[in-house]
Amino acid sequence: MEQSKIWLSSPHMGGTEQKFVNEAFDANWIAPLGPNVTGFEIDIENYLSNSKHEETPVHVAALSSGTAALHLALILLDVKPNDEVICQSMTFAASANPIMYLGATPVFVDSEKDTLNLCPIQLEKAIEDRISKGKKPKAIIAVHLYGMPYKVDDIQQVADKFGIPIIEDSAEALGSSYKGRKCGTFGEIGVLSFNGNKIITTSGGGALIVNKKAVKQKAIFLATQARDDAPHYQHTEIGYNYRLSNISAGIGRGQMEVLDKHVNLRREMNLFYQDVFSNIEGVTVYSEPNDDYFCNNWLTIISVDENITGKNREEFRLYMEALNIECRPLWKPMHLQPVFKNMPFYGNGLAEELFESGLCLPSGSNLANQDRERLRTGINEFFGA
Ligand SMILES: *Cc1c(COP(=O)(O)O)cnc(C)c1O
């Protein structure tokens, strides 16, 4: 008899989501905007402001997706056709695609080995080279991949040196922090995603995080078709239909109530894997490099050293798949994607290496003890531990 599927990461409702959705139905507020949207924004603002460090104002605009938020972030930073925008190569395509929407050019940069995110040394090299070729990049898209904060201080230092704003792609990192301050609040503009497989979900949605109320208002203006203040439909700018719906936001309000609980459960999954692999030589389980980092462990990832284990990552993935357990290779770096093959890249091969050896393991906050036992047995059997 086939056992039920263990997913990489699946939606996990806390219980009150439906109450907020029902309220929207009762008020017949089945539309973009509405009380749940405002409520959800306030919930996120309160959550992100709750940092140990100095109080930076946090303003949040709820949008239809993380991709939409990245698109608006680039527009707000005045990215135009033929501009260049630096982007971490090791990421999901949604980090880079909005650069193309604007007719700008992505310049991809490699990762470093501690957080697997943007490498400050390669970043500096890339910027200097682009400037020497006559173009200073307009923005830097840095990603907290799999919830692990990038080297916030080092990256910020490079960005400040050249006066280039950072777009902080925190789509996978709601609930993570660096030196006690929440991810999403470091960049000139931060981005969140509430897609189905993320740490919390609204079935689909995203948010833009800024530190000025006027910028939030501008983002909402653009996200609601850029309507001028007039009784008729009047437009002096190109607008978008990017606002979150009141129904989706209702799900988000319920999800915010269980966010920290779900982060803790995912962190426990990371500890579980550290334990399982502790006696398997040649497999690295990624976790925080030091106490400055707090990772939501959206997904736990490993890398398999074939020279030591005698087995490769793909054999392991297929073995788990046969047990009805979903594992997935890491994001394929953007500079290796056919669609971006002609774009500039600065690096020394780390992202490629990680793509070959790395694997994401089931990490959901809703996994049960019997799921963990299946995972442990499968891993031990495959690696002969
Ligand atoms: C999911 C994701 C996005 C896009 O978010 P959507 O809400 O799916 O549009 C962007 N960047 C990263 C790193 C992501 O993981």
Side-chain angles (χ1 to χ4, degrees), residues 329-358:
L330 305 199
W331 299 123
K332 181 172 181 175
M334 291 305 110
H335 72 280
L336 302 179
Q337 299 287 356
V339 72
F340 292 127
K341 67 176 189 298
N342 297 324
M343 304 300 162
F345 169 68
Y346 296 83
N348 50 20
L350 185 74
E352 270 126 295
E353 207 179 292
L354 286 166
F355 176 59
E356 290 302 319
S357 68

Side-chain angles (χ1 to χ4, degrees), residues 244-316:
L244 188 66
S245 90
N246 197 45
I247 297 290
S248 302
I251 304 172
R253 289 179 85 180
Q255 289 270 277
M256 284 306 287
E257 294 179 359
V258 290
L259 171 57
D260 278 337
K261 188 172 137 208
H262 289 187
V263 166
N264 283 329
L265 289 165
R266 289 194 191 242
R267 288 174 59 82
E268 278 172 27
M269 282 308 296
N270 185 268
L271 292 175
F272 162 78
Y273 285 119
Q274 287 185 44
D275 179 57
V276 172
F277 284 103
S278 61
N279 54 355
I280 298 171
E281 231 191 308
V283 177
T284 306
V285 179
Y286 282 90
S287 53
E288 293 129 348
N290 61 52
D291 289 348
D292 288 344
Y293 295 82
F294 180 90
C295 180
N296 68 9
N297 288 128
W298 172 56
L299 295 182
T300 287
I301 59 171
I302 57 168
S303 74
V304 180
D305 186 339
E306 195 175 347
N307 295 326
I308 298 175
T309 59
K311 295 169 168 176
N312 68 33
R313 144 355 265 285
E314 194 52 16
E315 289 163 346
F316 177 48

Side-chain angles (χ1 to χ4, degrees), residues 65-67 70 91-92 94-95 143 169 171-172 193-195 198 205 331:
S65 72
T67 310
L70 282 156
T91 187
F92 179 41
S95 303
V143 188
D169 183 346
E172 303 176 1
S193 166
F194 316 116
N195 208 339
K198 298 286 158 73
W331 299 123

